[in-house]
Amino acid sequence: MLTIVDTIGQTPLVQLQRLTHANEARIGLKCERTNPGGSVKDRPARFIIETAERAGWLSQGGTIIESSSGNFGISLAMLGAAKGYRVIILVDPKITPTNLALLEAYGAEVEIVTAQDDSGSYHKTRIARANELARQIPGAFRPDQCFNLLNSAAHANSTAREILVQGGDSLAMVIAAVSTGGQLGGIIRQLKLVAPHVQVVGVDAVGSAIFGGAAHSYLMPGVGLGWTPANLPLALLDHAFNVPDEAAFLACRTLARHEGIMVGASSGAVLLAAMFFAQQLPANSQIVAIAADSGERYLQTIYNDAWLGDHGLSINCSPAELRARARSLRPCAFHEGQVGTVQANLAETLQVPASTQQMNQLVQEQWQQRSALQVGAAFAIRQALLQDVYC
Ligand SMILES: Cc1ncc(COP(=O)(O)O)c(C=O)c1O
């Protein structure tokens, strides 16, 4: 018997037909919209909640408390409803009416944090308030997506394994957008262990500081952070891009009109990077691009002509123009000296809960054990992982 929670994962890899040419690499979009909560965030939400249940950090009558104005909050609200937990989500004034409505539809309690942090965003103030509430409410559990390494472990155990199976022998590259670093960090750790020839590419917004540089405001929802997250081992990354808002939004709209696929803005940014490499890699190679959520969540913004016009952004472009925009992208030079944005003692300043630290110790021990295995055994490990039952 299948529950709603059992339907998380095993998302399809959809090959593009019209935005690439026959002599280019294939681009497969891994469409995370088919998860029941509508995004890739269902995976870490389930993994963290079920690990906490097994460890006794979360039990019946408990309350899940998280900082999120987007997909992770929606995934937790959905899981809380399915499993019978109270859910409190700390959001900020930038939350879209759609996301707010989704949180409320799943019965989550929402608190809006209005104080901005030192980078002009709300990440740190929201996290600090979530930690404060968790100390006050008995039976509270903090999934803590920004500091909890189970976030990336979830993707190592599910997303990365699916990509290896679906990409097959021609898998040459995987591209994902980054905020907490969960997706990209998990994929990179798993792939560099069992398929080190596959290149891994990170995509962020112009204005975010994850790959280094100073933070400034941008419109692209779902991506970016004012610091380099603990879940992302930056040194393992092959390439990184900061994509401008306009190009990402145009990619979404062109994909909808010329391939019939509706995705969110981060997927548009990822698609551009995929089109950049598709025009360089051999024709028989496979690029997997993660489409983290669906376009329906953004009908009032990136798919709305008036909203784009109000922000002075172009509304549509042809596939040929999009291909030219992709070619004009320039990778970040983070290997030549830029080392991301380190914020020392941030976890202590924001009073990250003890349960996060305990979970992180478990994850780090597991990673050390896995990387201690010889590279020569990589094929055997890969076969074992592919046959493994997902945890
Ligand atoms: C639509 C979307 N794309 C990409 C990301 C980045 O994923 P991660 O937090 O795993 O780095 C998020 C995170 O919330 C998201 O909502």
Side-chain angles (χ1 to χ4, degrees):
M1 203 178 64
L2 214 56
T3 69
I4 192 71
V5 179
D6 298 325
T7 66
I8 294 173
Q10 299 296 356
T11 55
L13 187 70
V14 176
Q15 299 292 340
L16 296 194
Q17 305 288 306
R18 301 180 63 212
L19 290 182
T20 51
H21 292 172
N23 60 348
E24 296 173 2
R26 295 189 302 276
I27 299 177
L29 283 188
K30 188 148 175 66
C31 291
E32 293 295 314
R33 58 179 292 165
T34 64
N35 285 302
S39 83
V40 70
K41 287 287 180 178
D42 283 2
R43 296 173 186 268
R46 176 189 186 182
F47 192 71
I48 295 173
I49 292 303
E50 294 189 344
T51 305
E53 288 174 333
R54 283 195 296 274
W57 290 313
L58 178 64
S59 47
Q60 278 312 308
T63 302
I64 299 167
I65 303 177
E66 184 61 327
S67 153
S68 166
S69 262
N71 287 322
F72 194 57
I74 294 166
S75 296
L76 289 173
M78 182 267 293
L79 277 170
K83 287 173 171 279
Y85 297 114
R86 180 184 177 202
V87 178
I88 303 175
I89 304 294
L90 286 304
V91 306
D92 62 56
K94 280 167 48 185
I95 187 168
T96 63
T98 306
N99 284 359
L100 194 56
L102 279 165
L103 289 174
E104 287 169 350
Y106 283 121
E109 295 163 46
V110 175
E111 181 178 317
I112 302 179
V113 174
T114 53
Q116 285 182 315
D117 62 28
D118 55 4
S119 67
S121 96
Y122 300 87
H123 282 120
K124 293 179 197 167
T125 42
R126 279 187 345 213
I127 293 170
R129 175 64 182 146
N131 290 341
E132 184 185 28
L133 276 180
R135 287 192 296 275
Q136 289 166 358
I137 297 176
F141 172 69
R142 284 274 294 110
D144 204 5
Q145 61 166 337
C146 271
F147 291 94
N148 188 343
L149 298 180
L150 283 175
N151 178 358
S152 47
H155 292 288
N157 287 344
S158 68
T159 325
R161 293 182 190 190
E162 289 173 28
I163 290 170
L164 281 167
V165 175
Q166 291 170 319
D169 290 339
S170 55
L171 181 64
M173 180 176 276
V174 182
I175 310 179
V178 60
S179 174
T180 65
Q183 291 179 65
L184 194 60
I187 289 168
I188 206 168
R189 280 191 192 279
Q190 185 73 292
L191 262 58
K192 291 300 169 191
L193 188 64
V194 300
H197 61 281
V198 177
Q199 296 191 63
V200 182
V201 180
V203 174
D204 198 4
V206 168
S208 163
I210 292 175
F211 300 137
H216 61 79
S217 68
Y218 53 89
L219 294 168
M220 207 185 305
V223 293
L225 207 61
W227 67 94
T228 307
N231 271 293
L232 179 61
L234 210 53
L236 297 183
L237 209 54
D238 293 294
H239 306 280
F241 292 89
N242 286 102
V243 173
D245 288 328
E246 183 176 70
F249 301 163
L250 284 172
C252 293
R253 295 174 62 111
T254 311
L255 186 71
R257 286 173 179 229
H258 295 273
E259 295 273 0
I261 306 171
M262 288 281 284
V263 297
S266 72
S267 315
V270 165
L271 171 62
L272 270 182
M275 290 173 74
F276 173 89
F277 285 112
Q279 296 177 63
Q280 298 174 13
L281 291 173
N284 58 356
S285 50
Q286 175 74 57
I287 297 173
V288 170
I290 311 274
D293 65 359
S294 87
E296 281 90 336
R297 288 198 174 154
Y298 309 96
L299 286 175
Q300 308 308 322
T301 52
I302 62 176
Y303 291 97
N304 181 312
D305 295 1
W307 185 87
L308 289 175
D310 288 347
H311 288 93
L313 300 173
S314 307
I315 290 169
N316 286 315
C317 76
S318 67
E321 284 165 335
L322 193 69
R323 292 167 55 80
R325 278 189 188 251
R327 279 196 301 277
S328 71
L329 283 182
R330 289 292 161 261
C332 307
F334 71 93
H335 283 304
E336 287 89 51
Q338 261 182 293
V339 286
T341 307
V342 178
Q343 294 215 343
N345 305 326
L346 188 57
E348 289 77 15
T349 312
L350 301 177
Q351 299 187 290
V352 163
S355 58
T356 301
Q357 287 156 23
Q358 286 165 5
M359 286 184 267
N360 286 351
Q361 209 171 338
L362 291 177
V363 176
Q364 270 158 347
E365 280 165 18
Q366 264 191 7
W367 279 337
Q368 270 160 14
Q369 283 165 12
R370 284 190 196 176
S371 3
L373 296 165
Q374 294 299 309
V375 174
F379 180 75
I381 301 167
R382 178 176 168 178
Q383 296 310 104
L385 287 174
L386 297 184
Q387 285 157 14
D388 214 357
V389 176
Y390 289 2
C391 31

